[in-house]
């Protein structure tokens, strides 16, 4: 062996020795960061959370203010917490927004401020309540108001459309406007009331519901226009008390036939078309009015309220793909936890998340930054619970989550491989890999270079797990056909962790060969 060969061999041994040392100590310690500088990705689920400003000025996740929450009946939710896009949930889009963002709000961080300079106009996409045409069921339109003056003619809500009725076009409207210090609702041609047994349909074509409570300037009040298609009750509620009510039935009483809402051409919904003051937590529901969660049951009509949701908040990340056989070392969170508040972390893992449910795999509670044991898998998921203080006045926040894990190193392939043909067979042999993490080898074969899709060998389809052998014979091959072979190592820690291919070799079985 000449000197150059000796130098190359020494270099090769030193290189791979260093590779193994570095791989075990440094190269395969990895982490995934959520939040922080890169921002928060889409979450798998969330309940009672909003985005705030956390450490270092980055977005944080914290408990939502105790306001309306999006649920299965919510068609639209506008809460103004995001100054750039006040629409929180619902398949609507903003057509025009002349409202400004204001921090003058009793319950939350922001409200919408109208200076009588134009409205907030939205339009529903097909499938939403006001984006659909035809028969609809129950609904409620809800919001908080804090007017500056409560002048006659100030308009809070307007929806106008038209529908075909008895082969002619008729006008439809829902309008909420101030009159003599009260909010008055005028509703025109909203219901499908044209049946043979109706006694006085004219009374149901043009409906007016009048408030009785004076809307005091610079004070917040809660309003709801609601219809229950099962009972036929159409009512206007202020601060939890019914101000006006009528039965949309064939008799005008609770004994008559109830009617559905019949909507015509989808059109825009306008809030604060002519209004000076604040508005907040606008909600359109596909159910009738019910007392909000924050309404005090023992004080009917009085709105008991805390700053943050007393039941706390929770979010779950999407299942995060690591690598086969990965071990999760710890979960670290950058948080802000005021006195009496709390943040709880949970993690779960597995090799296939498609069968996961709310309870399976089991969530394991973890402490921030503490070492974990026996948390392994291709996927992991993190859940976070946040709890406010006893008075509901302070929320904890989380700015960043870091999942620290160890990835199993991909084992190195054998350095030398050769194939020797025989009669309907090929014997492939190779040297042991210099990687001491190797547990065994896979033999790949096929009839095209780089494509190891072989199926004809009596020993099985490609690839074949040959264990820790360094030679293997495939039989039942077709004489005269050329076959291509490669070896890949699998990890002694997990045989699903497979390294790269060795160099490719080939051989052609022939009848004349032994």
């Amino acid at each position: 062996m000449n000197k150059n060969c000796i130098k190359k061999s020494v270099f090769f041994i030193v290189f791979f020795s260093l590779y193994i040392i570095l791989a075990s100590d440094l190269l395969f310690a990895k982490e995934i960061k959520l939040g922080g500088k890169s921002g928060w990705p889409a979450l798998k689920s969330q309940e009672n959370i909003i985005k705030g400003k956390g450490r270092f000025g980055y977005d944080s996740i914290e408990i939502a203010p105790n306001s309306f929450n999006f649920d299965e009946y919510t068609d639209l939710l506008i809460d103004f917490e995001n100054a750039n896009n006040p629409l929180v949930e619902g398949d609507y889009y903003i057509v025009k927004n002349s409202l400004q963002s204001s921090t003058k709000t009793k319950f939350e961080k922001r409200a919408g401020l109208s200076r009588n300079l134009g409205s907030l106009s939205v339009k529903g996409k097909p499938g939403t309540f006001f984006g659909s045409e035809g028969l609809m069921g129950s609904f409620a339109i809800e919001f908080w108001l804090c007017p500056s003056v409560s002048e006659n003619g100030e308009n809070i809500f307007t929806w106008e459309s038209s529908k075909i009725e008895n082969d002619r076009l008729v006008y439809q409207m829902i309008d909420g406007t101030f009159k003599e210090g009260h909010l008055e609702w005028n509703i025109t041609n909203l219901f499908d009331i044209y049946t043979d047994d109706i006694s006085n349909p004219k009374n149901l074509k043009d409906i007016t519901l009048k408030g009785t409570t004076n809307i005091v300037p610079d004070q917040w009040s809660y309003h709801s226009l609601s219809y229950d298609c099962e009972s036929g009750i159409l009512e206007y509620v202020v601060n939890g008390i019914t101000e006006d009510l009528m039965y949309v039935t064939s008799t005008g009483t609770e004994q008559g036939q109830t009617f559905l809402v019949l909507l015509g051409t989808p059109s825009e919904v306008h809030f604060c078309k002519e209004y000076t003051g604040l508005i907040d937590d606008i909600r359109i529901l596909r159910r009738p009015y019910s007392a909000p969660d924050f309404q005090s049951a023992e004080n009917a009509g009085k709105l008991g309220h805390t700053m943050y949701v007393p039941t706390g908040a929770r979010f779950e990340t999407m299942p995060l793909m690591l690598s086969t056989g990965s071990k999760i070392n710890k979960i670290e969170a950058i948080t802000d936890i005021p006195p009496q508040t709390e943040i709880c972390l949970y993690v779960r893992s597995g090799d296939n998340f498609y069968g996961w449910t709310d309870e399976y795999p089991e969530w394991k509670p973890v402490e921030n930054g503490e070492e974990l044991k026996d948390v392994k898998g291709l996927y992991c998921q993190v859940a976070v619970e946040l709890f406010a203080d006893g008075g509901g006045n302070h929320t904890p926040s989380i700015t960043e989550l870091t999942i620290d894990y160890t990835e199993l190193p991909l084992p190195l392939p054998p350095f030398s491989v050769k194939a020797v043909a025989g009669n309907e067979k090929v014997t492939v042999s190779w040297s042991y890999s210099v990687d001491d993490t190797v547990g065994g080898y896979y033999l790949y074969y096929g009839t095209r270079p780089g494509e190891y899709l072989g199926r004809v060998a009596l020993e099985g389809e490609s690839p074949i797990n040959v264990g820790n052998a360094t030679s293997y014979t495939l039989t039942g091959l077709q004489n005269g056909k050329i076959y291509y072979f490669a070896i890949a190592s699998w990890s002694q820690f997990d045989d699903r962790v497979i390294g790269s291919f060795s160099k490719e070799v080939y051989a052609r079985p022939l009848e004349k060969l032994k």
Side-chain angles (χ1 to χ4, degrees):
M1 182 181 292
N2 60 38
K3 292 182 179 180
N4 287 335
C5 291
I6 294 173
K7 288 180 180 178
K8 288 180 180 179
S9 298
V10 171
F11 172 80
F12 176 82
I13 294 170
V14 171
F15 171 80
F16 280 109
S17 298
L18 289 173
Y19 174 89
I20 293 168
I21 294 170
L22 290 172
S24 59
D25 292 343
L26 297 173
L27 295 182
F28 304 106
K30 293 193 173 183
E31 62 183 23
I32 294 176
K33 289 186 180 292
L34 306 176
K37 184 177 181 180
S38 58
W40 289 94
L43 300 172
K44 180 69 167 60
S45 66
Q46 58 188 65
E47 182 179 0
N48 297 336
I49 68 168
I50 62 168
K51 297 283 181 65
K53 284 299 177 186
R55 302 279 293 277
F56 320 117
Y58 299 138
D59 282 348
S60 66
I61 293 178
E62 58 188 47
I63 303 174
N66 196 359
S67 59
F68 295 138
N69 296 313
F70 188 81
D71 59 27
E72 59 184 314
Y73 300 105
T74 307
D75 200 56
L76 172 68
L77 174 60
I78 301 173
D79 70 0
F80 300 98
E81 293 303 294
N82 185 333
N84 297 320
N85 182 17
L87 196 158
V88 179
E89 297 285 355
D91 209 5
Y92 286 73
Y93 60 91
I94 294 176
V95 178
K96 173 186 176 183
N97 184 14
S98 298
L99 274 59
Q100 300 175 7
S101 179
S102 171
T103 57
K104 186 182 177 183
T105 175
K106 183 177 181 180
F107 305 131
E108 304 175 73
K109 293 184 176 181
R110 294 184 178 275
L113 172 63
S114 174
R115 298 186 182 275
N116 203 5
L117 299 174
S119 64
L120 167 60
S121 302
V122 300
K123 190 166 185 179
K125 297 179 183 179
T128 61
F129 190 87
F130 285 108
S132 303
E133 184 173 359
L135 292 171
M136 309 294 285
S138 303
F139 74 88
I141 300 166
E142 304 180 347
F143 47 81
W144 287 82
L145 279 184
C146 182
S148 296
V149 288
S150 304
E151 289 186 347
N152 285 349
E154 288 202 307
N155 177 269
I156 305 301
F157 181 94
T158 298
W159 171 81
E160 297 175 291
S161 184
S162 60
K163 64 180 179 179
I164 301 296
E165 195 173 273
N166 297 329
D167 296 325
R168 65 188 182 91
L169 195 65
V170 298
Y171 172 69
Q172 289 185 290
M173 178 188 71
I174 304 175
D175 179 88
T177 300
F178 276 105
K179 187 175 181 179
E180 298 178 355
H182 316 292
L183 197 59
E184 183 174 294
W185 292 92
N186 292 290
I187 301 165
T188 301
N189 292 320
L190 186 64
F191 299 96
D192 178 30
I193 59 176
Y194 297 92
T195 61
D196 294 336
D197 63 342
I198 193 161
S199 58
N200 191 0
K202 184 177 180 181
N203 290 342
L204 299 180
K205 288 183 179 179
D206 296 290
I207 299 171
T208 298
L209 297 180
K210 297 181 179 181
T212 57
T213 300
N214 284 323
I215 308 303
V216 180
D218 296 323
Q219 289 189 15
W220 284 98
S221 56
Y222 167 68
H223 303 256
S224 175
L225 175 69
S226 167
Y227 178 63
D228 186 340
C229 67
E230 293 186 6
S231 66
I233 294 177
L234 178 68
E235 64 179 330
Y236 170 43
V237 176
V238 178
N239 289 341
I241 297 177
T242 299
E243 300 272 297
D244 200 359
L245 174 150
M246 74 171 295
Y247 283 92
V248 182
T249 65
S250 57
T251 62
T253 69
E254 59 184 333
Q255 304 301 324
Q257 172 192 345
T258 63
F259 300 103
L260 296 174
V261 173
L262 180 58
L263 299 182
T265 304
S267 59
E268 296 175 13
V269 178
H270 306 279
F271 300 97
C272 307
K273 204 169 183 180
E274 296 178 14
Y275 170 69
T276 301
L278 298 163
I279 189 169
D280 204 358
D281 291 337
I282 300 168
R283 206 165 53 153
I284 297 174
L285 299 169
R286 301 189 112 171
R287 62 164 174 78
Y289 165 82
S290 62
D293 294 338
F294 51 73
Q295 184 166 326
S296 173
E298 63 272 16
N299 297 299
K302 297 181 180 180
L303 295 177
H305 201 285
T306 55
M307 180 66 180
Y308 294 102
V309 178
T311 55
R314 178 186 173 95
F315 69 89
E316 297 175 7
T317 68
M318 299 292 288
L320 304 167
M321 186 174 182
L322 309 178
S323 61
T324 302
S326 292
K327 176 184 178 297
I328 303 168
N329 301 316
K330 57 186 175 180
I331 308 294
E332 294 183 297
I334 297 176
T335 62
D336 183 17
I337 306 178
Q340 300 184 34
T341 68
E342 189 65 71
I343 290 179
C344 298
L345 305 175
Y346 303 85
V347 67
R348 61 181 180 177
S349 61
D351 290 322
N352 188 338
F353 71 87
Y354 293 104
W356 290 9
T357 65
D358 290 341
E359 292 80 26
Y360 175 83
E362 181 183 359
W363 289 101
K364 298 181 180 180
V366 299
E367 294 295 328
N368 190 358
E370 284 195 3
E371 291 293 326
L372 303 178
K373 294 182 179 179
D374 299 324
V375 182
K376 301 177 181 179
L378 177 58
Y379 295 94
C380 81
Q381 189 178 18
V382 179
V384 180
E385 291 179 339
L386 303 95
F387 298 96
D389 64 306
N393 297 313
H394 302 282
T395 174
S397 66
I398 180 167
T399 302
E400 184 178 86
L401 270 174
T402 300
I403 297 94
D404 180 293
Y405 67 100
T406 300
E407 185 179 68
L408 288 180
L410 297 179
L412 296 171
F415 182 70
S416 63
V417 181
K418 66 179 180 177
V420 177
N423 182 13
E424 297 184 344
K425 65 182 180 180
V426 171
T427 298
V428 184
S429 58
W430 56 91
S431 60
Y432 279 113
S433 171
V434 297
D435 189 342
D436 61 5
T437 68
V438 171
Y441 303 93
Y442 278 102
L443 169 59
Y444 292 78
Y445 71 96
T447 57
R448 295 170 62 93
E451 294 184 10
Y452 308 117
L453 306 175
R455 303 176 60 184
V456 299
L458 296 179
E459 289 69 26
E461 297 180 2
S462 175
I464 299 171
N465 188 339
V466 300
N468 200 28
T470 57
S471 178
Y472 198 80
T473 300
L474 294 178
T475 61
L477 304 182
Q478 182 179 342
N479 284 335
K481 190 179 227 27
I482 191 168
Y483 292 88
Y484 298 86
F485 306 89
I487 305 297
S489 305
W490 50 263
S491 173
Q492 63 176 308
F493 304 109
D494 192 323
D495 63 6
R496 296 169 301 170
V497 178
I498 303 170
S500 58
F501 292 131
S502 67
K503 72 173 184 178
E504 183 177 82
V505 294
Y506 62 89
R508 189 192 306 271
L510 296 171
E511 185 177 358
K512 68 178 182 178
L513 300 174
K514 294 183 180 180

